[in-house]
Amino acid sequence: MGMESAARPFKDQLREQRLFQSRVIACAVLVLALTAALVGRLVILQVVDTQHFSELSEGNRIKTAPLAPTRGLIFDRNGLLVAENLPTWQLVAVPEEIDDLDGVLIALEELDLLDSSNREELTELVGSRRAFERITLGNLSESQAARFAVRRHRFPGIDIQEGLIRHYPFADAVAHAVGYVGSISTADLDLIDRSEYAATSQIGKTGVERSYENILHGQVGYTQQEVNAQGRILLDPAAVDSAGGQRGLQTRWPTPGSHVVLSFDMRLQLAGHKAMENMRGAAVAIDPRNGDLLALISTPAFDPNLFAVGLSSAEFVALSTDPDNPLFNRALAGRYPPGSTIKPMLALAALQHESVNPVEDHFCGGFFTLPGSTHRYRDWRSQGHGPMDLHSAVVESCDVYFYRLAVGLGIDNMESFLKSFGFGSPTGLDIGGEVAGIVPSREWKRQRFTNREDQVWFPGETVIAGIGQGFTQVTPLQLAHASAALAASGRRFRPRLLIGTEDAVSGEFDPLEPVEVAAVPVDDQTHWQIVQDAMYGVMTELRGSGRASMLGASYTVAGKTGTAQVFTIPQGEEYDEESVDERLRDHGLFVAYAPAEAPQIAVAVVVENGGAGSLTAAPVARAILDAFFGTENYVTRHD
């Protein structure tokens, strides 16, 4: 036993003490290092990056909400309001307070507050927003708002609020010139600065509303709102008196859009619109001294207020499928054969190229034939006009004379001269939707057709081009623009609707100067007088084709009537208007300017399938001219 006890090793207390001390030191160092790291991190958070994290914290506490600017107003040249903003009632929903959305929407439809065709769209709209946000479902009339107000208790989560809506006092009379606003589409979002439209649900879609959207829209504002972690608003400083301090929150009020002043005169616009009631067609009036559009009418038209309020799917389908196509702007995009309205321009071209002697008579026997051909190109007057010089040919609108003139002039000379009047290309009007039209030539035909046989230019195509038929197509705007050039002896201005803007706050008016473009090239200025005298004779001489339409007028007029065929009449057959389908009847056209001795206005009118221009189109021009000369002083808004 003693030996066993002697064999056990003695405990090394010193070594164990040193091991314990080293472990304590290591732990102390670790604790100190962690403490230093923690203190260092606190220094970074509380001292070094305090500004950064304060901003993040403030960003979670403060929400910046956009404030929509008030859209600018639109005036005619005399200060008459043609587009305004009116207070309205809006039907709004708070999704988190609604138990059965479909049931609520159906009940609102039964009260005629919503359209059933929009239900799916509204359901998607509500589903795409946060549950506590107020969502606009639609606009309400006074009677609809009253109808809902007495039943509000039945609709938890649905309420009404005040808002602004675009309103067009003259409705369809200005639809194609002023245009309309509508809901912002996906395509619109690709073209705009989304931040500027954060609080706006509508945008200009057509006409002036679209082309001058950047002027009318204004600049968005903002207001800061205190929110909780879920984004719910706790404080709305816009609703609190500023004397309360607002707890440091800010509001920047939006800048309203500028007002725009247009060139057209509502007296002329309404007169022309009324004269074209129940017609399909267009009328355009231009001031030849500066290019101002005094009237731009396309009928039938539509009520732009329907789009501003919110058009239902059924209503839009009805408009877009209407066979008379009220959404189509005929003044800018309608393409028509110009018929005899082009004869004064061709007469001037022949004088310029010295291919005609204006005082030499040519006999009209009722038809014209090309050398070596038996095909007869008929005159509108089957018995013919007898001996015709240039003046009488324009006055009586002799087709045979202009068949001969066209052959002598040649299609290439005709093309280049007509293009100098602005035909064949957009005039440059400051709203969208304008088309180019067609001025045919040999080169045009080669590019237009792919088959070699179709690319050949035939002499007979030159013949009919001499009376504005065949491939030639012009817009009513181009006709008015060319008529203004005739009135101004070749001087031309770019047509325009905008003549100035007005600051909505200061009222300061900023006028827009007219833009002059290349003049019609005529070497001998007496040629203008020859053609202008002939156009005056159209309206005053006993056998003038437009004389009857201006009888009793207190002003002098120079003009030209026109009738354009819609389909080809075979040789040997007569045109019988009564037996032809209404939409295949001839178009009626008329161009004019007044006063004849010092023109202030030029007008072009096209009546689709209206027959003789002297009977349908000329009376429309007469109504516009009567309105223009109805007051002694013609004063613009900002003279």
Side-chain angles (χ1 to χ4, degrees), residues 74-83 170 260 264-267 270 637:
I74 302 177
F75 298 91
D76 87 335
R77 68 187 299 114
N78 298 311
L80 200 60
L81 197 59
V82 295
F170 298 101
V260 302
F264 71 73
D265 185 329
M266 278 309 303
R267 295 175 303 155
L270 291 172
R637 171 178 161 81

Side-chain angles (χ1 to χ4, degrees), residues 2-17:
M3 292 182 63
E4 292 177 0
S5 176
R8 292 176 183 168
F10 288 99
K11 199 174 195 178
D12 191 346
Q13 293 181 349
L14 181 60
R15 182 171 175 270
E16 288 183 357
Q17 184 176 2

Side-chain angles (χ1 to χ4, degrees), residues 282-408:
V284 179
I286 295 180
D287 187 335
R289 301 167 297 180
N290 52 28
D292 286 0
L293 256 67
L294 303 176
L296 193 154
I297 301 155
S298 177
T299 58
F302 59 93
D303 186 352
N305 292 302
L306 296 176
F307 288 89
V309 172
L311 205 62
S312 70
S313 298
E315 288 172 328
F316 181 75
V317 169
L319 272 177
S320 58
T321 58
D322 188 322
D324 288 336
N325 204 354
L327 297 177
F328 181 55
N329 190 339
R330 289 167 165 84
L332 307 187
R335 300 192 302 183
Y336 307 92
S340 295
T341 59
I342 211 170
K343 288 176 180 176
M345 296 81 160
L346 293 178
L348 193 63
L351 291 171
Q352 170 69 10
H353 289 279
E354 300 180 346
S355 62
V356 68
N357 181 344
V359 297
E360 182 181 354
D361 284 341
H362 294 279
F363 185 78
C364 169
F367 65 89
F368 173 81
T369 58
L370 285 166
S373 172
T374 59
H375 183 89
R376 292 187 172 188
Y377 298 91
R378 294 174 291 191
D379 193 281
W380 67 268
R381 189 176 185 182
S382 59
Q383 69 271 32
H385 296 266
M388 289 277 113
D389 62 6
L390 188 143
H391 179 92
S392 58
V394 173
V395 170
E396 298 186 32
S397 198
C398 175
D399 291 338
V400 168
Y401 185 95
F402 280 91
Y403 292 147
R404 189 188 307 273
L405 181 146
V407 172

Side-chain angles (χ1 to χ4, degrees), residues 78 265 267-268 600 625-635:
N78 298 311
D265 185 329
R267 295 175 303 155
L268 280 61
Q600 301 174 41
L625 293 173
D626 281 350
F628 181 85
F629 292 103
T631 55
E632 185 176 353
N633 295 315
Y634 185 68
V635 182

Side-chain angles (χ1 to χ4, degrees), residues 97-403:
E97 299 176 9
I98 302 174
D99 295 328
D100 179 12
L101 179 61
D102 285 339
V104 168
L105 293 178
I106 291 172
L108 292 172
E109 292 164 9
E110 292 174 349
L111 290 174
D112 195 28
L113 303 180
L114 294 176
D115 192 284
S116 59
S117 63
N118 296 331
R119 189 188 310 162
E120 182 178 350
E121 181 182 347
L122 290 176
T123 301
E124 292 178 358
L125 176 65
V126 172
S128 67
R129 306 286 284 274
R130 287 183 288 186
F132 55 83
E133 291 185 343
R134 294 169 72 89
I135 302 166
T136 302
L137 301 179
N139 295 297
L140 302 179
S141 64
E142 289 285 347
S143 60
Q144 287 176 317
R147 194 182 312 144
F148 172 79
V150 297
R151 298 172 176 83
R152 180 180 293 167
H153 62 281
R154 292 170 43 191
F155 297 95
I158 303 295
D159 203 351
I160 53 176
Q161 67 181 18
E162 291 181 339
L164 289 177
I165 191 172
R166 200 64 159 174
H167 179 250
Y168 305 96
F170 298 101
D172 57 344
V174 299
H176 289 290
V178 174
Y180 61 87
V181 298
S183 299
I184 298 175
S185 67
T186 304
D188 293 325
L189 290 174
D190 295 334
L191 302 173
I192 62 176
D193 180 353
R194 298 191 182 196
S195 64
E196 282 296 321
Y197 285 80
T200 305
S201 60
Q202 292 189 318
I203 192 172
K205 292 290 186 178
T206 63
V208 170
E209 292 278 28
R210 180 68 172 186
S211 295
Y212 293 106
E213 171 66 25
N214 61 324
I215 295 175
L216 291 164
H217 176 64
Q219 187 176 358
V220 70
Y222 69 84
T223 180
Q224 291 183 332
Q225 300 167 329
E226 187 175 12
V227 297
N228 61 16
Q230 291 73 40
R232 194 183 308 280
I233 297 173
L234 301 178
L235 175 66
D236 182 2
V240 180
D241 191 284
S242 58
Q246 302 299 317
R247 297 174 59 185
L249 304 186
Q250 299 178 353
T251 294
R252 188 189 76 184
W253 298 109
T255 303
S258 295
H259 307 322
V260 302
V261 182
L262 303 183
S263 60
F264 71 73
D265 185 329
M266 278 309 303
R267 295 175 303 155
L268 280 61
Q269 191 77 15
L270 291 172
H273 185 74
K274 182 179 179 181
M276 295 196 73
E277 191 175 3
N278 301 321
M279 294 179 181
R280 296 186 303 275
V284 179
I286 295 180
D287 187 335
R289 301 167 297 180
N290 52 28
D292 286 0
L293 256 67
L294 303 176
L296 193 154
I297 301 155
S298 177
T299 58
F302 59 93
D303 186 352
N305 292 302
L306 296 176
F307 288 89
V309 172
L311 205 62
S312 70
S313 298
E315 288 172 328
F316 181 75
V317 169
L319 272 177
S320 58
T321 58
D322 188 322
D324 288 336
N325 204 354
L327 297 177
F328 181 55
N329 190 339
R330 289 167 165 84
L332 307 187
R335 300 192 302 183
Y336 307 92
S340 295
T341 59
I342 211 170
K343 288 176 180 176
M345 296 81 160
L346 293 178
L348 193 63
L351 291 171
Q352 170 69 10
H353 289 279
E354 300 180 346
S355 62
V356 68
N357 181 344
V359 297
E360 182 181 354
D361 284 341
H362 294 279
F363 185 78
C364 169
F367 65 89
F368 173 81
T369 58
L370 285 166
S373 172
T374 59
H375 183 89
R376 292 187 172 188
Y377 298 91
R378 294 174 291 191
D379 193 281
W380 67 268
R381 189 176 185 182
S382 59
Q383 69 271 32
H385 296 266
M388 289 277 113
D389 62 6
L390 188 143
H391 179 92
S392 58
V394 173
V395 170
E396 298 186 32
S397 198
C398 175
D399 291 338
V400 168
Y401 185 95
F402 280 91
Y403 292 147

